[in-house]
Amino acid sequence: MEYFFELLLSGLTRGSIYALIALGYTMVYGIIQLINFAHGEVYMIGAFTALIVASILTMLGWNEIAILFIASVVAVVYSMAYGYTLEKVAYKPLRHAPRLSALISAIGMSLFLQNYVLLAQTSDFMPFPSLIPDLEILEPIAHLITTPEIAIILTTAIVMVLLTFMIKFTRVGKAMRATSQDREMAMLVGVDVNRVISITFIVGSATAALGGVLIASHVGQINFYIGFIAGIKAFVAAVLGGIGSMPGAVLGSLVLGCAEAFFTGFVSSDYEDVFAFIILVVILIFRPAGILGRSDISKV
Amino acid sequence: MLELKNIKTFYGNIQALKDVSIEISEGEIITLIGANGAGKSTTLMSICGIVPPRSGEILFMGKPIQDMAPNNIVSLGICQVPEGRRIFPFLTVAENLDMGAFLRKDKDEIKRDIEYIYELFPILAERRNQAGGTLSGGEQQMLAISRALMAKPRLLLMDEPSLGLAPLIVKQIFEIIKKINTENKTTIFLVEQNANMALKVAHRGYVMETGRVSMSDTAANLLANDEVRKAYLGI
């Protein structure tokens, strides 16, 4: 039984990270119907930025919590700039082109960013300092769940609440929903659609970067390739939950995270990634709209 | 108030508007009638900046607006009730109305205007927390008009507000159009296929054929015109 809970909690941790990335996929898809394949790379760049900042601050002898905070903030801000630029450079010029062109552009950007980091940082795995300290109070349950894991789950929960609030109640959130439901009509009521799209990319990049920092600090090493596999997994999670739906992305991520954890724990860890993609295939065959997804309503 | 001067609009290589000139004065109801595919909706989309004209000029209060972004055109006070109503289907009725007032900052007055709308259309008040997509066609049309009114337009563009509605509701819609014009002093540019109804509420009318304005006159004269009667009124 304890083993079961251990797996469940590790699954939720993993799912939380997927959720932070999947949100970016699903928000961008909701607004411009594009699978932003370069999204995983933004997460990877977030992790690298945090590593560089953390290394410098460690050399200067700062304390752990301050380093964690500053590294996260810098990584998030830097990734936001990446997300913004990515959209302006690779997608905006293709706004009226066939969807396939934008998709190819996305894959191109993904390869470009990977290789650019490869050249700058080599292909070696680099050790990432564990920035989240183990709290003593949590020692009694440490065999079930560690402090970093709790931090990851909590951070994700807070981000979800903030995002939900933003989407539901703020002016920009309403503009985002309106744009995703009918872009032209949103323009006709005065929404600056270009701005809404930029904001969507910026917000998605911010959550992805946060995920990058948290998981890098938890796993303890990163290289240029981490964005690819994490990005693809988060994409599977977004499709599983119903792409375009934000609660769907979170639910899909948690389900995928737990499914992977249980599969690893009870069956075999060698086939963990294979298992994730089997889920993708099964979903696409039997419920292409995802768990919470809605099929398009036709306009009358 | 609004003046289109020889505008030519294209969809890719296909020319939808071939030299269209229209003039609308403040306080008028002007109607644009014509068959399917004549370019009526394109004319409205050109005014709103969604499909900007490739050449020609659009003047609003004497200033050229043909190169402005759609959101800036809305902020001048030009609003459209587009064809097919285009309600945001997953936003509630209240949120749809909020979106209409997207560019306004005067919160208290927005509240008052929403109350006014709810008085005008009690059914919308009843359904304020219901998703827009679940309303009936007539209710959606009322919501679409209300959403446009929430922007406090000086010029209201309406694209086939009677399309697909029951005759009784069509009558109601046209009464509302008249009311908006007389009570709020809003200038209205009405695109319609229902030429009979449109010409009865309008002051003047334009007839459009394959991308060109083929006739323009007072509404009364157009109603009496033999060609118009034959082609658009089916008499």
Side-chain angles (χ1 to χ4, degrees), chain A residues 198-213:
Chain A
S198 289
I199 292 171
T200 307
F201 271 85
I202 288 172
V203 172
S205 302
T207 63
L210 199 56
V213 179

Side-chain angles (χ1 to χ4, degrees), chain A residues 1-56:
Chain A
M1 203 56 203
E2 200 176 296
Y3 187 51
F4 174 84
F5 278 114
E6 201 185 312
L7 290 177
L8 180 69
L9 289 170
S10 105
L12 287 178
T13 310
R14 199 191 278 240
S16 298
I17 295 295
Y18 291 157
L20 286 174
I21 311 173
L23 278 171
Y25 274 114
T26 219
M27 284 170 69
V28 164
Y29 185 85
I31 299 263
I32 57 174
Q33 284 77 51
L34 166 78
I35 305 292
N36 176 16
F37 273 115
H39 188 57
E41 267 52 66
V42 173
Y43 152 94
M44 178 266 295
I45 284 170
F48 266 101
T49 312
L51 175 60
I52 292 165
V53 173
S55 310
I56 294 171

Side-chain angles (χ1 to χ4, degrees), chain B residues 6-233:
Chain B
N6 311 99
I7 63 164
K8 300 184 170 78
T9 302
F10 292 74
Y11 289 107
N13 289 324
I14 300 157
Q15 187 168 9
L17 299 184
K18 305 163 183 165
D19 205 21
V20 171
S21 299
I22 288 174
E23 233 189 294
I24 299 168
S25 312
E26 195 140 15
E28 281 188 308
I29 300 183
I30 300 296
T31 184
L32 178 63
I33 57 177
N36 264 337
K40 304 186 299 290
S41 300
T42 308
T43 307
L44 295 191
M45 288 301 178
S46 287
I47 297 172
C48 290
I50 303 284
V51 197
R54 207 173 279 181
S55 72
E57 255 193 319
I58 302 177
L59 303 174
F60 183 66
M61 312 303 278
K63 278 189 201 130
I65 59 165
Q66 70 271 9
D67 297 324
M68 289 172 72
N71 54 308
N72 294 330
I73 293 176
V74 175
S75 70
L76 295 175
I78 301 181
C79 282
Q80 192 184 151
V81 181
E83 187 179 349
R85 311 179 280 265
R86 306 283 284 269
I87 295 304
F88 298 114
F90 303 109
L91 297 189
T92 63
V93 168
E95 285 173 330
N96 266 285
L97 291 175
D98 276 351
M99 283 313 292
F102 188 72
L103 291 177
R104 287 173 60 186
K105 302 266 185 309
D106 44 345
K107 278 196 175 155
D108 295 337
E109 208 149 314
I110 292 176
K111 242 185 218 157
R112 221 171 307 143
D113 287 350
I114 288 187
E115 289 312 314
Y116 170 74
I117 297 278
Y118 285 158
E119 258 168 55
L120 202 61
F121 303 110
I123 188 76
L124 295 184
E126 226 170 274
R127 316 215 148 169
R128 66 179 86 187
N129 294 321
Q130 208 171 311
T134 62
L135 301 189
S136 75
E139 290 161 3
Q140 285 193 4
Q141 190 64 60
M142 290 171 197
L143 179 56
I145 294 173
S146 305
R147 181 178 56 189
L149 289 180
M150 284 306 295
K152 287 211 157 175
R154 300 162 76 179
L155 172 64
L156 182 60
L157 312 174
M158 303 181 94
D159 198 348
E160 309 232 15
S162 73
L163 192 73
L165 300 181
L168 205 65
I169 297 177
V170 171
K171 222 177 132 205
Q172 213 180 333
I173 297 279
F174 275 97
E175 267 159 25
I176 291 160
I177 294 172
K178 239 194 241 164
K179 198 169 162 190
I180 295 169
N181 178 250
T182 49
E183 277 184 18
N184 307 9
K185 309 270 175 277
T186 309
T187 312
I188 294 177
F189 187 33
L190 174 66
V191 161
E192 257 301 341
Q193 282 205 50
N194 189 339
N196 188 27
M197 285 294 245
L199 288 171
K200 275 179 187 153
V201 297
H203 302 113
R204 291 189 299 120
Y206 288 83
V207 180
M208 209 169 184
E209 265 169 55
T210 56
R212 278 177 227 280
V213 171
S214 61
M215 232 186 287
S216 76
D217 209 331
T218 62
N221 283 350
L222 285 175
L223 263 176
N225 183 298
D226 277 344
E227 261 176 76
V228 174
R229 287 168 68 96
K230 236 188 257 161
Y232 303 105
L233 301 176

Side-chain angles (χ1 to χ4, degrees), chain A residues 257-272:
Chain A
C258 291
E260 275 188 2
F262 287 127
F263 186 83
T264 311
F266 289 125
V267 187
S268 150
S269 60
D270 297 341
Y271 290 93
E272 176 195 316

